Amino acid sequence: MIQQVGGTGQSTQVFSKKINQATEDNFSKVLTSSTDKLETNEVDESIYDDIANKYDVRNMTFEELKEVAQELYEAGAITGKEVMTMTFDYGRATQSIKQAANGLAAPNFSIYETSADAFGRRDWIAEFAARAAKDRQYGNLIGNANKTKIMSILQLLDRE
């Protein structure tokens, strides 16, 4: 009986190693394809100049970020998934968490990684860089790749 349990444990370990390797292989493919897509998208480059002349990605509100995402999407510069990554409302998510915590969350609790000014403007390149770093720290390689791509797109709009 003991030998049977030992044999089952060994086959479970082998199976687990195969799944982990397959997962790592899939992550590598996603990271490579995400980077390749950013480099091969054929978009009228003037859209970046047009948007950069209207918005300051280092000092804008979330509402303005949503407008930028919409303009990029309409121009074919980003996908629907990238719009969702850019425009997930961390402010509303923070409020939902606070509400669910029934007063147990700190008053200054936020899931944003960077601070906004009194008008809600923030440096979105720094925000997405920090989000990507946090995803990488926690082993979320797909999240890291998605946020790094958004950061790269925003850098194309940076006037500095």
Side-chain angles (χ1 to χ4, degrees):
M1 184 92 167
I2 293 174
Q3 289 177 336
Q4 185 179 13
V5 172
T8 303
Q10 288 174 346
S11 65
T12 302
Q13 288 176 345
V14 170
F15 180 72
S16 179
K17 285 181 183 178
K18 286 180 182 177
I19 288 178
N20 287 342
Q21 185 60 49
T23 301
E24 287 180 28
D25 292 344
N26 285 338
F27 281 149
S28 295
K29 288 177 189 174
V30 168
L31 292 173
T32 302
S33 68
S34 293
T35 305
D36 290 346
K37 278 185 179 179
L38 181 60
E39 294 170 2
T40 59
N41 265 354
E42 290 188 27
V43 176
D44 181 0
E45 297 294 321
S46 68
I47 187 65
Y48 299 110
D49 288 334
D50 293 345
I51 293 173
N53 288 329
K54 290 184 353 188
Y55 300 96
D56 179 1
V57 294
R58 293 203 176 265
N59 188 35
M60 68 181 178
T61 65
F62 179 67
E63 292 303 316
E64 291 170 318
L65 180 68
K66 291 191 309 188
E67 292 169 14
V68 167
Q70 187 61 36
E71 288 186 38
L72 288 169
Y73 179 73
E74 288 173 0
I78 63 174
T79 66
K81 178 177 125 182
E82 291 158 348
V83 170
M84 289 186 292
T85 301
M86 281 179 80
T87 61
F88 179 81
D89 193 338
Y90 276 42
R92 287 180 69 187
T94 295
Q95 292 308 314
S96 282
I97 292 169
K98 284 182 174 181
Q99 185 177 14
N102 283 333
L104 297 175
N108 62 346
F109 169 78
S110 174
I111 59 175
Y112 279 109
E113 298 298 321
T114 61
S115 298
D117 68 11
F119 302 103
R121 294 183 302 245
R122 71 180 71 240
D123 179 341
W124 289 99
I125 293 173
E127 177 67 26
F128 278 96
R131 290 179 189 183
K134 189 173 199 175
D135 282 341
R136 184 162 194 81
Q137 176 186 355
Y138 290 117
N140 180 2
L141 301 181
I142 293 174
N144 171 267
N146 291 337
K147 287 163 183 112
T148 298
K149 186 170 183 183
I150 298 303
M151 181 189 66
S152 297
I153 292 166
L154 292 173
Q155 287 172 334
L156 295 172
L157 304 172
D158 191 8
R159 290 184 251 172
E160 291 181 6

